[in-house]
């Protein structure tokens, strides 16, 4: 790799303006550089990971959001196609303190600046991200806009754009990220239908260890799912307000009790709504790879990877045992139905990026399917296709 392989063009002055009028100065990068044009707007949140920035940027759960990284040095090991978690980034923009000017890693095939440019993602560097993070913590996640800011008139335009940005509440973002057509991954012995609410490749890889996974669009009806004769249904992570994922919530009404169900992140939220629970928006969400969660049944602490702005209100879901709690703010992080084969967690057990403390949950899903299909209630021909595995 030579210096010429990296994008070393001089950045142009820019600014990030929040909906409350707060201004953060910086320099345009990504799709706004080296020839600045246009602006980017979205809901500004901060992520606390120290590594894994490409996995974060390509997580579809960030649709509608601008990601501010709290770790000061971003881009030092470049990017590689192997680390992308989706077909393209769905975030609205990226904010960093110090963008590495040269990448250094044998796996790297591009620098971060060029990666953002290639995928049309705007960015701004040189921002005081410590100040920005403190502001979001104090005032909550809020819309913002950034772009070139050569004069006061440009700042006024950015402020107006930020104030016009709707944020993520009451907005259907799942339809922006879900697959258009079903597809199959993995070759495990179980058959699982996975609702793509914004699914990540690391999730399908982990599910693929235990199942042959048919990934279906978020709008797939319950009868279409059952026609595939699955042993289980998986509800993936995804962006935005669970109240706007109504088709999935409706489908769950017909799937609960028919097949084992495992949900994560947005999957927990739609499952909670389907069971009669209430959702709410967190002040600034959980975004990072170091969130401590306690398993209430064992007292064990897991360090988890999380990315969500909404949650299910503790105590609002009837007929469940609340299994996990966030030690940072007491938010509900998991529950299991008492009389139905369904459980969920609010975090990302596949990590990517993040610790692997919670990957055992995929095996727990396999155990639930084994227990459920050990009865006479199993899809036609399941035992012959699975060589007896379905009988536990």
């Amino acid at each position: 790799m030579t210096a010429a392989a990296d994008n070393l063009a001089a950045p142009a002055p820019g600014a990030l303006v929040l909906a409350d009028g707060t201004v953060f100065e910086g320099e345009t990068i990504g799709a706004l550089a080296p020839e600045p044009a246009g602006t980017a707007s979205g809901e500004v949140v901060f992520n606390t990971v120290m590594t894994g920035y490409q996995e974060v940027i390509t997580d579809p759960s960030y649709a509608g959001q601008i990601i501010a990284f709290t770790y000061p040095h971003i881009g030092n090991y470049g990017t590689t196609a192997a680390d992308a978690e989706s077909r393209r980034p769905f975030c609205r923009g990226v904010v960093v303190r110090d963008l590495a000017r040269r990448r250094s890693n044998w796996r790297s095939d591009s620098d971060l600046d060029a990666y953002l440019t290639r995928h049309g993602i705007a960015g701004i560097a040189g921002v005081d991200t410590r100040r920005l993070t403190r502001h979001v913590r104090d005032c909550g996640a809020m819309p913002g806009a950034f772009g070139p800011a050569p004069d006061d008139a440009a700042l006024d335009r950015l402020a107006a754009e930020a104030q016009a940005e709707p944020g993520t509440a009451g907005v259907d973002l799942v339809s922006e990220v879900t697959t258009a057509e079903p597809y199959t991954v993995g070759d495990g012995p179980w058959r699982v239908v996975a609702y793509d609410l914004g699914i990540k490749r690391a999730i399908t890889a982990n599910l693929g260890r235990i199942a042959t996974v048919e990934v279906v669009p978020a709008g797939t009806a319950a009868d279409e799912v059952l026609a595939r004769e699955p042993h289980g249904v998986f509800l993936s992570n995804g962006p935005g307000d669970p109240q706007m994922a109504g088709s999935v919530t409706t489908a769950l009404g017909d799937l609960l009790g028919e097949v084992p169900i495992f949900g994560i992140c947005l999957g927990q939220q739609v499952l909670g709504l389907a069971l009669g629970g209430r959702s709410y928006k967190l002040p600034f969400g959980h975004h990072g790879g170091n969130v401590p969660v306690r398993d209430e049944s064992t007292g064990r602490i897991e360090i988890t990877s999380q990315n969500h702005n909404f949650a299910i209100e503790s105590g609002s879901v009837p007929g469940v045992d609340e299994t996990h709690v966030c030690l940072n703010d007491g938010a509900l992080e998991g529950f299991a139905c008492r009389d139905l084969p369904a459980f969920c967690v609010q975090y990302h057990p596949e990590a990517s990026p993040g610790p692997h403390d919670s990957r055992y949950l995929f095996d727990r899903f396999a155990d639930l399917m084994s227990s459920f299909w050990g009865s006479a209630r199993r899809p036609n021909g399941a035992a012959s296709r699975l060589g007896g595995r379905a009988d536990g």
Side-chain angles (χ1 to χ4, degrees):
M1 183 187 72
T2 65
D6 288 321
N7 182 0
L8 298 179
L16 165 66
V17 182
L18 301 183
D20 65 1
T22 308
V23 176
F24 298 84
E25 296 179 346
E27 301 170 328
T28 58
I29 59 172
L32 295 181
E35 297 295 333
T39 59
S41 65
E43 185 171 84
V44 179
V45 297
F46 61 86
N47 189 294
T48 60
V49 297
M50 298 177 68
T51 62
Y53 50 79
Q54 184 181 355
E55 291 93 325
V56 170
I57 291 168
T58 55
D59 180 351
S61 297
Y62 277 111
Q65 297 180 316
I66 294 170
I67 309 166
F69 288 95
T70 62
Y71 190 69
H73 305 295
I74 299 295
N76 55 307
Y77 56 84
T79 64
T80 172
D83 289 344
E85 286 294 332
S86 60
R87 60 189 181 274
R88 65 172 178 85
F90 288 94
C91 64
R92 298 280 183 82
V94 173
V95 180
V96 302
R97 172 59 177 171
D98 180 19
L99 178 69
R101 302 290 282 168
R102 289 182 174 83
R103 56 190 164 99
S104 178
N105 188 277
W106 66 272
R107 297 175 67 246
S108 171
D109 54 35
S110 176
D111 65 273
L112 179 57
D113 195 9
Y115 183 85
L116 295 175
T117 301
R118 185 165 65 252
H119 289 284
I121 302 299
I124 184 169
V127 173
D128 185 346
T129 50
R130 290 186 68 180
R131 173 175 165 246
L132 174 59
T133 300
R134 289 170 66 96
H135 189 81
V136 172
R137 282 182 61 90
D138 290 342
C139 302
M142 69 181 72
F146 66 87
D151 50 37
D152 289 344
L155 289 176
D156 291 341
R157 286 193 295 271
L158 289 173
E161 187 169 339
Q163 291 165 6
E165 169 63 38
T168 57
V171 178
D172 176 15
L173 295 169
V174 170
S175 62
E176 295 183 13
V177 302
T178 190
T179 182
E181 299 292 338
Y183 62 93
T184 301
V185 295
D187 58 0
W190 300 101
R191 290 195 308 281
V192 168
V193 169
Y195 271 97
D196 179 9
L197 311 181
I199 202 165
K200 295 163 63 179
R201 288 174 177 167
I203 293 172
T204 56
N206 276 273
L207 283 172
R209 291 190 296 106
I210 64 170
T212 300
V213 185
E214 294 182 84
V215 182
V216 299
T220 304
D223 59 350
E224 296 179 59
V225 171
L226 294 175
R228 298 171 184 271
E229 298 186 339
H231 296 115
V233 169
F234 179 80
L235 308 171
S236 82
N237 63 295
D241 189 342
Q243 296 280 358
M244 303 308 296
S247 62
V248 183
T249 306
T250 300
L252 283 173
D254 295 322
L255 293 172
L256 283 163
E258 296 297 320
V259 289
I261 294 173
F262 174 30
I264 70 167
C265 199
L266 182 60
Q268 165 163 310
Q269 296 160 27
V270 295
L271 180 58
L273 292 177
L275 291 167
R278 296 185 296 273
S279 66
Y280 68 101
K281 190 174 185 182
L282 294 160
F284 46 83
H286 297 165
H287 309 279
N290 55 355
V291 182
V293 169
R294 183 177 64 235
D295 184 330
E296 296 291 72
S297 64
T298 65
R300 180 175 179 265
I301 308 300
E302 302 170 28
I303 303 302
T304 68
S305 178
Q306 303 202 13
N307 177 18
H308 59 102
N309 274 355
F310 293 81
I312 291 295
E313 182 181 322
S314 178
S316 73
V317 185
V320 304
D321 292 319
E322 297 188 352
T323 57
H324 297 76
V325 63
C326 180
L327 297 184
N328 285 343
D329 59 7
L332 177 62
E333 291 286 349
F335 61 81
C337 295
R338 299 191 190 106
D339 301 319
L340 295 169
F343 74 104
C344 56
V345 293
Q346 185 59 78
Y347 45 94
H348 289 209
E350 91 294 338
S352 192
H356 299 162
D357 298 26
S358 307
R359 285 193 173 178
Y360 70 89
L361 290 166
F362 293 100
D363 295 320
R364 180 174 292 179
F365 185 33
D367 291 342
L368 181 62
M369 290 187 287
S370 178
S371 175
F372 184 82
W373 293 113
S375 71
R377 300 174 62 202
R378 64 187 174 209
N380 294 333
S384 62
R385 290 180 204 154
L386 297 174
R389 171 75 183 268
D391 292 322

